[in-house]
């Protein structure tokens, strides 16, 4: 049985621990929330120190998910799952079945919008339509969110409820979709926060000690509310969006600064700027046209992006620029160079060969989501045919000197670090399909380093944000690695999950 142990532990010894890749036993000493030393097993500690015997289990630094939409992830767990739908008709049938299920009458009577998540229309042979969704929802307001959150499929009742105009497809994309998504998330704080707490506890049980949360809101206020009522599962770097930059600067915020009242767990995150769309909605901004025509969308002009990056430089914010298409990545790189600032490119899914070296030259972090390579391999092969050797290019980015930071973009992919690391190292799932561009794979050590903010291994002087594993992550089989058994997770020496130890 798992448990959460409240309150800091000032002195702790994790006894008889192993470090991945080795067999020697160590005692990991923790003092004041920091790893104070690694000593041979049996080395005496301070009198009265709490000793937890790991019995030869393996210890690694705590795992970070570098790109999450935490509220959306928690909401998705409580919505209609459309991820298995292979067509618009199948998605509609899933909705029909849900709306006719037991216990739904009260929900409908309360006037709640039915919300589905996770559809992938880029690989469907048929297309969404207003008529199709109206036909299965019988006037119940219904909104279906694509897996990448860049598209919403509405019926007539929901379009009327949210005051938007839709054409015969029923689809909204990009900013219009984001606006409706924000409206759909306006549930009572207590309800949403309870769902977030449940999702966070599940993440801690998988080794997560911190997230970068890019929820599209004034996020530090949301997290202060959650922390005030006892949230303590992991650290949060709360991102800021351009519409809130003035407010953040006036409040004295800058990236990396601890937020007062945040219990030491909340810091100001990066400045997030979206400059193109996504692959599945064919709005990622590309050099070459898509098969259906068009090159996607540049949603922020180069001049505006330069202004934002200069403001970030002057105010102490690290820019995190969402760029998926190869043309968008070119724009982002040009603008980082012009602004004279380092930062992050979020996603970097499709990059021109001549642009790889610029990531290293400019000192950029590529914040990447390896599971997307497997989720989107068919869409990429269809839309970027003949060029996918530079799609989701983890090895090429690392070889070019970029710093890699792994994440999920939950709810686009699950907030599950071992899924991300497995995808990065195998470029395949346990589903019978062969690896997709295995030349872009990482080693397991590289994946661990990119998931632990560059730490890679446990060292004295580092925060005691630690994960205890039942096996050696560098030696177990691919199948075990993808679902790695976690025995415990600690943040600053405090157990946030304690299972088998």
């Amino acid at each position: 049985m798992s448990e959460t142990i409240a309150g800091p532990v000032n002195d702790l010894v994790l006894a008889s621990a192993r470090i991945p890749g080795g067999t020697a036993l160590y005692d990991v000493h923790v003092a004041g929330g920091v790893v104070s030393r690694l000593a041979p097993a049996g080395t005496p500690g301070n009198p009265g120190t709490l000793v937890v015997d790991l019995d030869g289990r393996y210890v690694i630094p705590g795992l970070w998910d570098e790109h999450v939409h935490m509220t959306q992830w928690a909401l998705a767990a409580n919505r209609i799952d459309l991820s298995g739908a292979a067509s618009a008709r199948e998605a509609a049938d899933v909705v029909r079945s849900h709306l006719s299920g037991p216990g739904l009458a009260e929900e409908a009577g309360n006037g709640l919008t039915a919300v589905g998540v996770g559809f992938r229309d880029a690989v469907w042979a048929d297309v969404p339509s207003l008529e199709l969704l109206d036909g299965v929802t019988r006037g119940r307001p219904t909104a279906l969110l694509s897996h990448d959150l860049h598209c919403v499929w509405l019926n007539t009742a929901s379009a009327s409820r949210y005051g938007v105009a839709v054409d015969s497809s029923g689809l909204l994309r990009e900013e219009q979709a984001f606006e409706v998504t924000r409206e759909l998330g306006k549930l009572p704080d207590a309800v949403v926060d309870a769902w977030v707490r449940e999702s966070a506890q599940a993440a801690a049980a998988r080794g997560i000690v911190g997230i970068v949360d890019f929820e599209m809101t004034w996020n530090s206020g949301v997290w202060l509310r959650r922390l005030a009522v006892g949230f303590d599962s992991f650290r949060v770097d709360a991102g800021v969006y351009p519409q809130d930059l003035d407010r953040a600067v006036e409040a004295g915020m800058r990236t990396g600064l601890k937020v007062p009242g945040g219990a030491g767990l909340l810091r100001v995150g990066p400045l997030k700027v979206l400059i193109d769309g996504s692959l599945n909605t064919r709005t990622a901004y590309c050099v070459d046209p898509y098969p259906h025509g068009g090159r996607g969308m540049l949603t922020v002009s180069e001049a505006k992006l330069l202004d934002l990056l200069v403001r970030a430089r002057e105010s102490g914010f690290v820019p995190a620029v969402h760029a998926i298409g190869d043309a968008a990545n070119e724009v982002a790189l040009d603008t980082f160079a012009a602004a004279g600032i380092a930062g992050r490119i979020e996603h970097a899914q499709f990059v021109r060969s001549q642009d790889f070296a610029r990531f290293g030259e400019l000192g950029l972090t590529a914040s990447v989501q390896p599971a997307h390579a497997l989720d989107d391999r068919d869409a990429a092969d269809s839309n970027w045919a003949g060029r996918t050797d530079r799609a989701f290019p983890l090895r090429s980015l690392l070889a070019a000197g970029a710093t890699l930071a792994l994440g999920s973009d939950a709810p686009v992919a699950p907030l599950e670090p071992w899924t991300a690391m497995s995808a990065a190292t195998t470029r395949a799932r346990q589903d019978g399909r062969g690896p997709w561009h295995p030349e872009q794979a990482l080693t397991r050590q590289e994946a661990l380093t990119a998931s632990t903010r560059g730490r890679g291994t446990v060292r004295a002087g580092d925060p005691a944000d630690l994960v205890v594993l039942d096996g050696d992550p560098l030696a177990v089989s691919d199948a075990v690695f993808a679902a790695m058994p976690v025995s415990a997770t600690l943040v600053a020496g405090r157990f946030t999950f304690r299972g088998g130890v």
Side-chain angles (χ1 to χ4, degrees):
M1 178 180 294
S2 65
E3 61 177 316
T4 298
I5 301 177
V9 175
N10 290 323
D11 293 291
L12 169 71
V13 175
L14 300 175
S16 297
R18 289 190 171 97
I19 304 300
T23 58
L25 293 175
Y26 295 91
D27 290 347
V28 181
H29 292 251
V30 173
V34 173
V35 176
S36 57
R37 60 175 172 151
L38 273 72
T43 301
N46 296 326
T49 298
L50 174 65
V51 178
V52 177
D53 185 3
L54 298 190
D55 193 26
R57 292 179 174 87
Y58 291 80
V59 178
I60 64 170
L63 304 172
W64 277 74
D65 191 313
E66 295 283 348
H67 192 126
V68 177
H69 303 269
M70 193 64 203
T71 297
Q72 295 304 314
W73 171 238
L75 292 174
N78 294 274
R79 289 171 166 173
I80 307 169
D81 182 7
L82 302 173
S83 60
S87 66
R89 170 53 63 185
E90 282 191 20
D93 287 343
V94 171
V95 172
R96 185 205 309 272
S97 177
H98 176 86
L99 296 185
S100 61
L104 273 297
E106 181 180 351
E107 179 183 298
N110 290 334
L112 295 177
T113 299
V115 183
V117 293
F119 75 83
R120 299 172 180 273
D121 61 319
V123 295
W124 289 349
D126 59 356
V127 296
S129 73
L130 189 65
E131 180 181 11
L132 176 59
L133 194 54
D134 280 348
V136 300
T137 53
R138 299 187 299 277
R140 169 82 181 275
T142 303
L144 311 181
L145 311 183
S146 66
H147 84 287
D148 57 18
L149 302 181
H150 285 253
C151 177
V152 179
W153 180 10
L154 304 177
N155 68 352
T156 299
S158 60
S160 175
R161 167 167 288 183
Y162 298 108
V164 295
V166 293
D167 60 20
S168 59
S169 71
L171 299 177
L172 297 177
R173 301 187 188 277
E174 302 308 324
E175 186 54 40
Q176 286 184 307
F178 300 152
E179 290 176 1
V180 171
T181 299
R182 285 191 286 268
E183 290 299 315
L184 294 170
K186 290 182 178 179
L187 298 173
D189 291 343
V191 172
V192 175
D193 290 352
W195 291 347
V196 167
R197 192 177 307 114
E198 291 172 4
S199 296
Q201 289 169 349
R206 302 303 297 138
I208 289 290
V209 300
I211 66 168
V212 179
D213 187 20
F214 285 124
E215 196 69 38
M216 294 181 181
T217 187
W218 178 248
N219 215 5
S220 61
V222 171
W223 280 106
L224 284 172
R225 182 187 73 226
R226 293 169 179 163
L227 289 157
V229 294
F231 180 96
D232 63 357
S233 292
F234 47 57
R235 302 181 189 274
V236 178
D237 288 358
V240 174
Y241 280 80
Q243 62 266 27
D244 292 319
L245 181 57
D246 287 342
R247 179 180 179 182
V249 172
E250 289 171 5
M253 291 182 171
R254 63 180 184 275
T255 299
L257 189 69
K258 288 186 178 179
V259 178
L265 296 176
L266 180 62
R267 300 192 311 174
V268 180
L271 173 68
K272 174 75 177 294
V273 186
L274 290 91
I275 69 167
D276 74 336
S278 69
L279 166 61
N280 276 270
T281 54
R282 280 82 71 195
T283 50
Y285 186 50
C286 296
V287 171
D288 300 302
Y290 290 93
H292 77 291
R295 296 172 51 215
M297 302 169 60
L298 188 66
T299 56
V300 174
S301 70
E302 293 184 54
K304 177 62 174 176
L305 181 60
L306 179 58
D307 175 66
L308 286 168
L309 266 57
V310 168
R311 291 186 63 201
R313 185 192 69 208
E314 294 173 345
S315 57
F317 275 86
V318 172
V321 178
H322 164 120
I324 288 182
D326 53 358
N329 276 279
E330 180 186 10
V331 168
L333 292 164
D334 288 346
T335 312
F336 271 112
I341 186 174
R344 300 161 51 120
I345 292 184
E346 304 296 320
H347 310 304
Q349 287 185 4
F350 195 36
V351 179
R352 301 186 311 160
S353 299
Q354 60 266 41
D355 282 336
F356 286 123
R358 302 176 71 195
F359 279 81
E361 293 165 358
L362 294 170
L364 298 178
T365 293
S367 172
V368 294
Q369 299 77 41
H372 294 359
L374 306 184
D375 292 337
D376 293 343
R377 61 188 290 179
D378 295 329
D381 283 336
S382 174
N383 288 286
W384 298 334
R387 292 161 286 158
T388 53
D389 58 319
R390 53 187 177 88
F392 305 91
L394 307 187
R395 170 58 55 193
S396 294
L397 287 165
L398 188 63
T403 297
L404 292 187
L406 304 193
S408 64
D409 201 10
V412 181
L415 204 175
E416 167 49 86
W418 301 98
T419 295
M421 287 189 283
S422 173
T425 55
T426 66
R427 303 284 289 200
R429 290 201 175 98
Q430 307 294 314
D431 60 1
R433 299 186 76 177
W436 190 64
H437 290 292
E439 72 278 6
Q440 291 293 350
L442 304 179
T443 68
R444 289 192 187 171
Q445 185 59 64
E446 288 166 343
L448 283 166
T449 298
S451 299
T452 55
R453 297 206 147 176
R455 292 167 65 192
T457 191
V458 177
R459 294 185 295 259
D462 284 347
D465 298 352
L466 304 168
V467 183
V468 181
L469 306 173
D470 286 346
D472 184 346
L474 302 183
V476 297
S477 69
D478 287 339
V480 171
F481 185 75
M484 192 73 199
V486 174
S487 289
T489 306
L490 300 91
V491 172
R494 171 180 54 84
F495 284 94
T496 57
F497 167 74
R498 190 171 181 180
V501 299

